[in-house]
Amino acid sequence: NHQSRPGRPDAVVYGDSHAAYLFHGLASVDKTHNWLGIASIDCSIFLAGGKQSKEKDCDGNARRALDYLSSKDSPDTVLLAHYGYSAENVIYGADRLGARAGLVQVEAVSSTDRIKQRSLEQGLKTAIGRMQAAGKRVVYLIDVPEMPVFARDCVQRTSLLPAKSLCSVTLEAVELRQRGIRSVAENLKKALPDLIVMDTVPALCNGTFPCELASSSFSFYEDSQHLSVRGATKVARELLPKIGFTHAAPNSVAWVQ
């Protein structure tokens, strides 16, 4: 767990490693509010009935976190961020593939396991419903696009490293890969109308495709799926005005209504 400064937190970002990386952007941009980050690394915390790591005590960590987040002692604003492709049958991101050279190219396809998707949706619905019943304002973040290569290979460019096109994502690839998680978000919004759903893609891409996520001069990613401080800061600048946490105007953020 991390906190931007000592004292009672004003807001919390909760999830897995994706929440942990986003925390640094929120804490960097928002100097007014005290942010708390709660992350269960390598745990599918919202996958109801899914197999979890007993060594990491994923189920216990999720239960304790939810107990806290639905208590009167926790912040009123809860931001949820997690790996969005746990219900997909096809692995796409270089990290998940275990690629080391960053040269593996996989076709972006949509192949959602319906049982896993329902499990994820049910787990999220239960957690969000409990927090909302406790009076919390819950914001759900649709995960960032995956990269088929490592960001470092886009920054450290040589003749052996990937073509520039592999360091970008097309709108078609994003839509295919995110079809499952966007369906989950849409169903959650229908079931829980007070839920705020934020789309990270416009925050990163500004409506321009192919969307360059890393190059020899910058990188929005730490690896192939986690935001770098620069990327997390960019997303945070777009998110914070929408939840009333800064006076800075966002550039472009899409919302699922």
Side-chain angles (χ1 to χ4, degrees):
N1 297 348
H2 301 277
Q3 197 163 320
S4 52
R5 61 174 180 268
R8 181 182 174 86
D10 301 303
V12 55
V13 54
Y14 170 58
D16 53 22
S17 57
H18 290 226
Y21 280 85
L22 181 59
F23 166 82
H24 297 290
L26 295 166
S28 175
V29 173
D30 188 358
K31 301 299 184 182
T32 302
H33 300 90
N34 188 5
W35 276 89
L36 170 65
I38 303 177
S40 294
I41 309 300
D42 294 330
C43 290
S44 299
I45 52 175
F46 299 116
L47 198 59
K51 293 182 179 180
Q52 301 283 1
S53 170
K54 293 182 179 179
E55 180 180 346
K56 292 181 178 293
D57 192 22
C58 292
D59 291 333
N61 288 339
R63 184 172 57 253
R64 287 186 289 271
L66 188 54
D67 286 345
Y68 167 71
L69 294 172
S70 56
S71 73
K72 59 181 175 54
D73 297 323
S74 65
D76 291 332
T77 297
V78 182
L79 173 61
L80 302 180
H82 68 97
Y83 176 68
Y85 309 95
S86 56
E88 295 297 320
N89 288 321
V90 177
I91 300 174
Y92 182 70
D95 285 84
R96 297 278 168 166
L97 284 168
R100 290 295 175 263
L103 302 176
V104 177
Q105 184 176 8
V106 180
E107 182 181 1
V109 297
S110 176
S111 178
T112 304
D113 185 314
R114 298 304 177 189
I115 295 177
K116 286 184 179 179
Q117 182 175 322
R118 286 195 295 269
S119 177
L120 176 61
E121 187 176 315
Q122 185 57 50
L124 281 163
K125 184 178 177 181
T126 299
I128 294 168
R130 183 175 170 187
M131 287 184 278
Q132 287 185 337
K136 309 301 180 181
R137 178 177 59 157
V138 183
V139 181
Y140 181 68
L141 208 63
I142 295 178
D143 196 18
V144 297
E146 303 162 291
M147 293 181 65
V149 296
F150 288 103
R152 65 169 182 265
D153 294 331
C154 299
V155 175
Q156 302 169 356
R157 297 191 59 80
T158 73
S159 60
L160 296 177
L161 294 177
K164 182 179 179 180
S165 61
L166 295 183
C167 302
S168 304
V169 291
T170 65
L171 178 60
E172 292 77 15
V174 172
E175 289 177 340
L176 280 171
R177 285 298 292 171
Q178 294 194 337
R179 185 175 294 169
I181 194 61
R182 289 178 183 276
S183 175
V184 168
E186 184 178 353
N187 291 338
L188 287 172
K189 182 66 178 177
K190 290 178 181 178
L192 304 164
D194 290 334
L195 177 67
I196 301 171
V197 181
M198 179 184 170
D199 186 350
T200 61
V201 174
L204 285 174
C205 301
N206 295 325
T208 301
F209 292 92
C211 175
E212 194 170 23
L213 300 175
S215 73
S216 59
S217 60
F218 78 94
S219 178
F220 291 145
Y221 282 58
E222 186 74 16
D223 41 44
S224 71
Q225 60 172 315
H226 296 105
L227 292 171
S228 64
V229 173
R230 181 170 183 165
T233 297
K234 183 171 176 60
V235 171
R237 287 190 186 280
E238 301 286 356
L239 163 67
L240 289 165
K242 290 296 184 179
I243 60 175
F245 272 30
T246 180
H247 297 294
N251 293 324
S252 59
V253 176
W255 297 79
V256 177
Q257 299 296 336

